[in-house]
Amino acid sequence: MTLKTALLTATAAATLSTGVAQAHFQLLYTPEVMLEQPGNINFKLVFGHPMENGHVMDMGEPEDFFVIFKGEKTDLMGSLKPITWKGGHNEAKAYEASYKVRRNGDYSFVLVPAPYYEESEDVYIQQITKAIINKGGMPTGWNKPLGLKTEIIPLNKPYQVYAGGTFSGQLLRDGKPVPGVECEIEYINTEIDMAANASSAESKGDVPATAVVAITDADGEFTFGIPGPGVWGFACLGSGPDNEHEGKELSQDAVLWINASTLNTGQD
């Protein structure tokens, strides 16, 4: 376990004494991930605690935001607009963006946020975050590395995972597998109001008593059984190559969001 991971694990452990795990997660949320027709998709970029429905934190101006479609990268920084996100218990600075999807295939969106200073631990956190959507049911690259400093490569279609099944991913740092890293797992446990830039004060489901984690194996891979439908996030802690920002410890994490749905097989 790296020092960075140890610090964040300590954060979770400290919070467990209050009864819940408080994991930081960078959201890159859009409600529709499988489109049939061309159209605009809207994103909300929020930093918070989606499973515990805890407080949200101020985001600084992102360092990068782009989409890759069939190997072509498009800069989306100009599409970002600052907003105020109304969490269940407080408000924080966040961003929104819109993108028009035209062609069939997989669109990999990547957010590189500014490092966030976690005062309670005196460390910075930077979660390089991916979300993948599809149009037309034509897969074109959902499992391809994007050349990020650190990233989770989905080994199942991230927009077509079924509750009761499993999801596997491979963690990379500079394109190489990273073994022995702790990956925290959460789901969005609130209603999201896209028009109001808000999440509900009430939680929808249970919150596990401790943080849900998986450890990457020798090939950097992990597998998690998806217990229910929803939007699930995976955050592999301290997996990036950068470990310092403005003279302080930096935990550079890889985050991936997937969508799980139910599948009616017609069987009892």
Tab-separated table of all heavy atoms in Angstrom, residues 206-240:
chain	number	residue	atom	x	y	z
A	206	ASP	N	-29.495	1.680	0.354
A	206	ASP	CA	-28.663	1.437	1.536
A	206	ASP	C	-27.246	1.981	1.331
A	206	ASP	O	-26.758	2.102	0.200
A	206	ASP	CB	-28.580	-0.060	1.831
A	206	ASP	CG	-29.935	-0.649	2.199
A	206	ASP	OD1	-30.795	0.120	2.669
A	206	ASP	OD2	-30.118	-1.862	1.997
A	207	VAL	N	-26.608	2.254	2.443
A	207	VAL	CA	-25.188	2.616	2.448
A	207	VAL	C	-24.446	1.546	3.245
A	207	VAL	O	-24.750	1.325	4.420
A	207	VAL	CB	-24.965	3.998	3.095
A	207	VAL	CG1	-23.478	4.339	3.103
A	207	VAL	CG2	-25.761	5.056	2.350
A	208	PRO	N	-23.510	0.851	2.613
A	208	PRO	CA	-22.772	-0.193	3.344
A	208	PRO	C	-22.087	0.364	4.584
A	208	PRO	O	-21.702	1.543	4.630
A	208	PRO	CB	-21.755	-0.682	2.298
A	208	PRO	CG	-22.362	-0.353	0.979
A	208	PRO	CD	-23.111	0.937	1.203
A	209	ALA	N	-21.896	-0.507	5.560
A	209	ALA	CA	-21.319	-0.067	6.833
A	209	ALA	C	-19.870	0.360	6.683
A	209	ALA	O	-19.380	1.207	7.441
A	209	ALA	CB	-21.426	-1.193	7.862
A	210	THR	N	-19.166	-0.225	5.734
A	210	THR	CA	-17.780	0.161	5.483
A	210	THR	C	-17.595	0.377	3.989
A	210	THR	O	-18.453	0.002	3.182
A	210	THR	CB	-16.787	-0.914	5.958
A	210	THR	OG1	-16.936	-2.087	5.145
A	210	THR	CG2	-17.037	-1.282	7.411
A	211	ALA	N	-16.475	0.968	3.610
A	211	ALA	CA	-16.195	1.215	2.199
A	211	ALA	C	-16.132	-0.109	1.434
A	211	ALA	O	-15.575	-1.099	1.909
A	211	ALA	CB	-14.882	1.965	2.057
A	212	VAL	N	-16.731	-0.114	0.242
A	212	VAL	CA	-16.673	-1.287	-0.629
A	212	VAL	C	-15.420	-1.153	-1.495
A	212	VAL	O	-15.253	-0.140	-2.198
A	212	VAL	CB	-17.927	-1.374	-1.518
A	212	VAL	CG1	-17.845	-2.577	-2.444
A	212	VAL	CG2	-19.176	-1.436	-0.664
A	213	VAL	N	-14.545	-2.146	-1.446
A	213	VAL	CA	-13.280	-2.038	-2.165
A	213	VAL	C	-12.965	-3.348	-2.889
A	213	VAL	O	-13.457	-4.422	-2.537
A	213	VAL	CB	-12.100	-1.703	-1.223
A	213	VAL	CG1	-12.337	-0.393	-0.499
A	213	VAL	CG2	-11.849	-2.828	-0.241
A	214	ALA	N	-12.132	-3.222	-3.914
A	214	ALA	CA	-11.518	-4.360	-4.597
A	214	ALA	C	-10.049	-4.017	-4.791
A	214	ALA	O	-9.703	-2.844	-4.966
A	214	ALA	CB	-12.205	-4.620	-5.936
A	215	ILE	N	-9.208	-5.031	-4.767
A	215	ILE	CA	-7.769	-4.832	-4.949
A	215	ILE	C	-7.364	-5.393	-6.307
A	215	ILE	O	-7.720	-6.531	-6.656
A	215	ILE	CB	-6.965	-5.534	-3.832
A	215	ILE	CG1	-7.442	-5.063	-2.450
A	215	ILE	CG2	-5.462	-5.271	-4.016
A	215	ILE	CD1	-7.209	-3.606	-2.167
A	216	THR	N	-6.629	-4.617	-7.073
A	216	THR	CA	-6.200	-5.102	-8.391
A	216	THR	C	-5.196	-6.242	-8.238
A	216	THR	O	-4.365	-6.251	-7.335
A	216	THR	CB	-5.568	-3.965	-9.208
A	216	THR	OG1	-4.447	-3.425	-8.497
A	216	THR	CG2	-6.574	-2.847	-9.456
A	217	ASP	N	-5.293	-7.214	-9.171
A	217	ASP	CA	-4.408	-8.371	-9.112
A	217	ASP	C	-3.096	-8.093	-9.855
A	217	ASP	O	-2.798	-6.935	-10.208
A	217	ASP	CB	-5.127	-9.615	-9.657
A	217	ASP	CG	-5.451	-9.510	-11.144
A	217	ASP	OD1	-4.911	-8.612	-11.814
A	217	ASP	OD2	-6.238	-10.341	-11.638
A	218	ALA	N	-2.337	-9.142	-10.120
A	218	ALA	CA	-1.018	-8.973	-10.740
A	218	ALA	C	-1.100	-8.344	-12.118
A	218	ALA	O	-0.130	-7.735	-12.593
A	218	ALA	CB	-0.306	-10.326	-10.815
A	219	ASP	N	-2.241	-8.490	-12.783
A	219	ASP	CA	-2.435	-7.885	-14.108
A	219	ASP	C	-3.175	-6.553	-14.036
A	219	ASP	O	-3.607	-6.021	-15.069
A	219	ASP	CB	-3.220	-8.848	-15.004
A	219	ASP	CG	-2.454	-10.133	-15.268
A	219	ASP	OD1	-1.228	-10.056	-15.508
A	219	ASP	OD2	-3.070	-11.216	-15.224
A	220	GLY	N	-3.329	-6.044	-12.813
A	220	GLY	CA	-4.032	-4.779	-12.642
A	220	GLY	C	-5.537	-4.903	-12.764
A	220	GLY	O	-6.231	-3.886	-12.880
A	221	GLU	N	-6.052	-6.119	-12.728
A	221	GLU	CA	-7.482	-6.312	-12.963
A	221	GLU	C	-8.252	-6.507	-11.650
A	221	GLU	O	-7.702	-6.968	-10.644
A	221	GLU	CB	-7.699	-7.527	-13.873
A	221	GLU	CG	-7.083	-7.344	-15.248
A	221	GLU	CD	-7.329	-8.548	-16.162
A	221	GLU	OE1	-8.066	-9.461	-15.749
A	221	GLU	OE2	-6.773	-8.562	-17.269
A	222	PHE	N	-9.520	-6.169	-11.679
A	222	PHE	CA	-10.422	-6.409	-10.554
A	222	PHE	C	-11.791	-6.770	-11.106
A	222	PHE	O	-12.125	-6.461	-12.265
A	222	PHE	CB	-10.535	-5.168	-9.643
A	222	PHE	CG	-11.160	-3.976	-10.319
A	222	PHE	CD1	-12.538	-3.797	-10.340
A	222	PHE	CD2	-10.372	-3.031	-10.961
A	222	PHE	CE1	-13.126	-2.702	-10.974
A	222	PHE	CE2	-10.948	-1.937	-11.602
A	222	PHE	CZ	-12.319	-1.776	-11.612
A	223	THR	N	-12.588	-7.440	-10.290
A	223	THR	CA	-13.958	-7.803	-10.655
A	223	THR	C	-14.870	-7.527	-9.476
A	223	THR	O	-14.501	-7.766	-8.320
A	223	THR	CB	-14.042	-9.289	-11.040
A	223	THR	OG1	-13.276	-9.505	-12.232
A	223	THR	CG2	-15.493	-9.713	-11.309
A	224	PHE	N	-16.054	-6.993	-9.796
A	224	PHE	CA	-17.027	-6.684	-8.744
A	224	PHE	C	-18.395	-7.169	-9.184
A	224	PHE	O	-18.814	-6.938	-10.321
A	224	PHE	CB	-17.049	-5.167	-8.502
A	224	PHE	CG	-18.080	-4.726	-7.500
A	224	PHE	CD1	-17.959	-5.057	-6.160
A	224	PHE	CD2	-19.172	-3.972	-7.900
A	224	PHE	CE1	-18.915	-4.655	-5.241
A	224	PHE	CE2	-20.128	-3.554	-6.983
A	224	PHE	CZ	-19.998	-3.904	-5.647
A	225	GLY	N	-19.104	-7.858	-8.287
A	225	GLY	CA	-20.470	-8.281	-8.548
A	225	GLY	C	-21.423	-7.116	-8.351
A	225	GLY	O	-21.463	-6.530	-7.273
A	226	ILE	N	-22.194	-6.778	-9.395
A	226	ILE	CA	-23.090	-5.627	-9.320
A	226	ILE	C	-24.392	-6.056	-8.633
A	226	ILE	O	-25.174	-6.826	-9.193
A	226	ILE	CB	-23.398	-5.084	-10.729
A	226	ILE	CG1	-22.100	-4.736	-11.464
A	226	ILE	CG2	-24.311	-3.868	-10.625
A	226	ILE	CD1	-21.324	-3.604	-10.847
A	227	PRO	N	-24.660	-5.561	-7.424
A	227	PRO	CA	-25.827	-6.036	-6.683
A	227	PRO	C	-27.160	-5.474	-7.141
A	227	PRO	O	-28.205	-6.048	-6.847
A	227	PRO	CB	-25.519	-5.602	-5.245
A	227	PRO	CG	-24.624	-4.424	-5.385
A	227	PRO	CD	-23.810	-4.661	-6.623
A	228	GLY	N	-27.134	-4.347	-7.846
A	228	GLY	CA	-28.398	-3.733	-8.245
A	228	GLY	C	-28.201	-2.758	-9.382
A	228	GLY	O	-27.074	-2.349	-9.699
A	229	PRO	N	-29.305	-2.359	-10.035
A	229	PRO	CA	-29.189	-1.388	-11.127
A	229	PRO	C	-28.801	-0.013	-10.603
A	229	PRO	O	-29.030	0.312	-9.437
A	229	PRO	CB	-30.595	-1.379	-11.730
A	229	PRO	CG	-31.490	-1.786	-10.601
A	229	PRO	CD	-30.696	-2.757	-9.772
A	230	GLY	N	-28.218	0.785	-11.480
A	230	GLY	CA	-27.841	2.138	-11.106
A	230	GLY	C	-26.578	2.579	-11.803
A	230	GLY	O	-26.078	1.924	-12.713
A	231	VAL	N	-26.088	3.714	-11.365
A	231	VAL	CA	-24.841	4.268	-11.892
A	231	VAL	C	-23.751	3.994	-10.868
A	231	VAL	O	-23.802	4.500	-9.743
A	231	VAL	CB	-24.974	5.782	-12.145
A	231	VAL	CG1	-23.693	6.333	-12.758
A	231	VAL	CG2	-26.163	6.072	-13.063
A	232	TRP	N	-22.773	3.191	-11.270
A	232	TRP	CA	-21.730	2.725	-10.357
A	232	TRP	C	-20.389	3.354	-10.725
A	232	TRP	O	-20.045	3.455	-11.900
A	232	TRP	CB	-21.608	1.204	-10.410
A	232	TRP	CG	-22.783	0.500	-9.790
A	232	TRP	CD1	-23.973	0.205	-10.380
A	232	TRP	CD2	-22.875	0.026	-8.449
A	232	TRP	NE1	-24.804	-0.422	-9.489
A	232	TRP	CE2	-24.161	-0.550	-8.292
A	232	TRP	CE3	-22.002	0.033	-7.354
A	232	TRP	CZ2	-24.579	-1.104	-7.089
A	232	TRP	CZ3	-22.421	-0.530	-6.163
A	232	TRP	CH2	-23.701	-1.083	-6.030
A	233	GLY	N	-19.647	3.728	-9.672
A	233	GLY	CA	-18.349	4.337	-9.889
A	233	GLY	C	-17.236	3.526	-9.239
A	233	GLY	O	-17.424	2.908	-8.181
A	234	PHE	N	-16.074	3.536	-9.895
A	234	PHE	CA	-14.881	2.841	-9.397
A	234	PHE	C	-13.757	3.869	-9.316
A	234	PHE	O	-13.455	4.534	-10.310
A	234	PHE	CB	-14.485	1.690	-10.323
A	234	PHE	CG	-15.568	0.664	-10.480
A	234	PHE	CD1	-16.608	0.859	-11.390
A	234	PHE	CD2	-15.569	-0.483	-9.708
A	234	PHE	CE1	-17.632	-0.076	-11.518
A	234	PHE	CE2	-16.594	-1.429	-9.831
A	234	PHE	CZ	-17.618	-1.224	-10.734
A	235	ALA	N	-13.143	3.991	-8.153
A	235	ALA	CA	-12.057	4.948	-7.953
A	235	ALA	C	-10.843	4.201	-7.409
A	235	ALA	O	-10.859	3.736	-6.261
A	235	ALA	CB	-12.473	6.049	-6.984
A	236	CYS	N	-9.824	4.063	-8.248
A	236	CYS	CA	-8.590	3.390	-7.839
A	236	CYS	C	-7.628	4.452	-7.307
A	236	CYS	O	-7.226	5.359	-8.036
A	236	CYS	CB	-7.986	2.633	-9.017
A	236	CYS	SG	-9.061	1.297	-9.608
A	237	LEU	N	-7.267	4.303	-6.039
A	237	LEU	CA	-6.627	5.388	-5.285
A	237	LEU	C	-5.111	5.415	-5.482
A	237	LEU	O	-4.436	4.396	-5.350
A	237	LEU	CB	-6.952	5.242	-3.801
A	237	LEU	CG	-8.444	5.125	-3.461
A	237	LEU	CD1	-8.638	5.005	-1.959
A	237	LEU	CD2	-9.225	6.311	-4.013
A	238	GLY	N	-4.617	6.621	-5.755
A	238	GLY	CA	-3.177	6.807	-5.848
A	238	GLY	C	-2.526	6.029	-6.970
A	238	GLY	O	-1.355	5.668	-6.871
A	239	SER	N	-3.246	5.783	-8.044
A	239	SER	CA	-2.731	4.946	-9.133
A	239	SER	C	-1.942	5.726	-10.174
A	239	SER	O	-1.280	5.135	-11.025
A	239	SER	CB	-3.890	4.225	-9.828
A	239	SER	OG	-4.837	5.154	-10.330
A	240	GLY	N	-2.008	7.051	-10.137
A	240	GLY	CA	-1.321	7.863	-11.131
A	240	GLY	C	0.148	8.062	-10.816
A	240	GLY	O	0.612	7.810	-9.692
